[in-house]
Amino acid sequence: MKNKYLFFFLFLTMGKVNYSQEQKIRLIEGIYSGGICTDNAICGYWLIKKDSTFIFVDFNKDDIKYIGYGSWRLSADSLIILNFKDSLLPILDKSKAEYFSKTVPAFDSVYISGTIKDQNGAAVSYASIIINQKYTIISDVNGYYKFSYPRKGGVQRVSVIKKIDGYIPFEFELSPNNNDHVLNITLPLVDSATALNDFHQDMLISSQTSNLELKINMGLNKKHTTLSLHFETRDKNFLLLKLITSSKRQPYLGRNINELIELAKR
C-alpha cells in the first residue's frame, strides 16, 4: 500500500516548481476539483473558504468515501499549500473501550459490568454481550449490563452484537490476571466504516507532515492532472447537495454529515 503512493510522496518532497513567469492568482472562494488523481490517491472536491480553511470530500458515486479538512495558504504564484488537521471528524470514529480491571473475592468467579453507548453518547439498549462464545447477556434500556460466571476456561473474550440497528460488532479480550472487569463501550454505526481519512491510512503523507502542495488552475481546462486543483463554481450548494444525497444513502452517518455541512456553511 505504501509503495503504491511512494512516487507521489517523493514527488511532493522534490524542489518546488518555478512559476515565476505566471501571473499570481487571486484565490476565489468556492468549489474546486482534483488533487492527486493518478490512481485516485487524493482526488475529489475541495471547498476552499476565504477564512483560510478547506474541506475535502471524495465520493464513490453518491456515497462519501474519503474526507479531510484543515487550513490553507497561498505559496509562490499559483501554488496552494493545504495543511490537513490531525484530528478526525466525528464521522470517522471507531469503536472505543474504557476498561478497568482488578482482583476481588470470590476468586473463583469473574465479574463484568459496564455500559454500551453510540457515538452520540446515547444508550445502546438490548445489545447482546457474548462472553467466551458461551454466556450471553443483554444490555438494559440504559445500555447497562452486569454479569458473573465461573472463572475457568482460559481466555475471556467479550463480543457485542447489535445488528438490527446497524452497529459494527465489537470484540475485546479481558485481562486474564484479574476477575473484576468494568468495560464501557462506544459502538459506531456501520456507515462509519465507509468514510475514511486519507491522511490517517499511511497512503501518502509521512508522520512528519500532513501538507499537500497543489497548483491552482482557474482556467477553462478542467482536465484532472496530477497535483492540481481546478475551479468549478462559487456555489457551495453544489457540494452541499451532494452531502445531503449522501446522508440519505448513508443514514447512520446523518448526524455526522450534518456536522460536515455546518463546517461548509460557516
Side-chain angles (χ1 to χ4, degrees), residues 142-212:
N142 297 313
Y144 181 75
Y145 66 95
K146 185 177 182 179
F147 187 64
S148 62
Y149 56 95
R151 188 177 186 177
K152 58 183 180 180
V155 176
Q156 303 173 63
R157 183 183 299 275
V158 176
S159 302
V160 179
I161 300 175
K162 177 69 170 174
K163 288 186 177 179
I164 191 170
D165 290 329
Y167 289 96
I168 296 176
F170 172 86
E171 286 195 353
F172 192 87
E173 281 193 12
L174 304 177
S175 170
N177 301 318
N178 297 318
N179 71 332
D180 184 41
H181 309 274
V182 176
L183 181 60
N184 298 319
I185 302 165
T186 299
L187 290 182
L189 288 159
V190 291
D191 284 338
S192 296
T194 68
L196 304 173
N197 186 306
D198 278 330
F199 291 88
H200 289 78
Q201 303 300 315
D202 293 327
M203 292 178 65
L204 178 69
I205 303 299
S206 71
S207 60
Q208 285 75 36
T209 179
S210 58
N211 289 344
L212 182 64

Side-chain angles (χ1 to χ4, degrees), residues 1-185:
M1 190 68 161
K2 294 181 179 179
N3 291 335
K4 183 178 180 181
Y5 298 99
L6 181 60
F7 166 78
F8 301 110
F9 178 71
L10 293 175
F11 191 91
L12 284 174
T13 55
M14 291 174 65
K16 294 183 178 179
V17 179
N18 184 7
Y19 295 99
S20 58
Q21 296 180 348
E22 298 184 11
Q23 182 179 0
K24 188 171 183 178
I25 65 167
R26 180 176 65 86
L27 191 66
I28 297 175
E29 180 179 68
I31 306 298
Y32 294 74
S33 63
I36 303 177
C37 295
T38 304
D39 291 333
N40 292 317
I42 302 177
C43 189
Y45 291 104
W46 308 72
L47 171 56
I48 306 296
K49 302 174 64 179
K50 62 183 178 182
D51 64 357
S52 298
T53 64
F54 72 88
I55 293 170
F56 166 72
V57 187
D58 183 17
F59 296 91
N60 180 12
K61 296 183 179 179
D62 289 325
D63 293 336
I64 288 178
K65 183 180 179 182
Y66 298 118
I67 65 173
Y69 74 116
S71 60
W72 63 266
R73 62 182 176 87
L74 287 177
S75 182
D77 301 318
S78 58
L79 295 179
I80 185 172
I81 297 177
L82 302 148
N83 180 255
F84 283 78
K85 290 185 179 292
D86 291 334
S87 57
L88 301 181
L89 289 171
I91 198 173
L92 303 171
D93 283 350
K94 309 298 184 188
S95 300
K96 297 178 182 177
E98 293 181 350
Y99 176 56
F100 312 93
S101 68
K102 59 184 178 181
T103 299
V104 298
F107 303 113
D108 60 350
S109 295
V110 173
Y111 311 93
I112 182 170
S113 62
T115 58
I116 303 175
K117 297 182 179 181
D118 65 16
Q119 292 166 282
N120 302 323
V124 178
S125 55
Y126 312 119
S128 298
I129 300 98
I130 305 167
I131 302 170
N132 288 353
Q133 297 183 337
K134 182 177 181 180
Y135 307 102
T136 300
I137 53 177
I138 305 296
S139 61
D140 66 16
V141 68
N142 297 313
Y144 181 75
Y145 66 95
K146 185 177 182 179
F147 187 64
S148 62
Y149 56 95
R151 188 177 186 177
K152 58 183 180 180
V155 176
Q156 303 173 63
R157 183 183 299 275
V158 176
S159 302
V160 179
I161 300 175
K162 177 69 170 174
K163 288 186 177 179
I164 191 170
D165 290 329
Y167 289 96
I168 296 176
F170 172 86
E171 286 195 353
F172 192 87
E173 281 193 12
L174 304 177
S175 170
N177 301 318
N178 297 318
N179 71 332
D180 184 41
H181 309 274
V182 176
L183 181 60
N184 298 319
I185 302 165

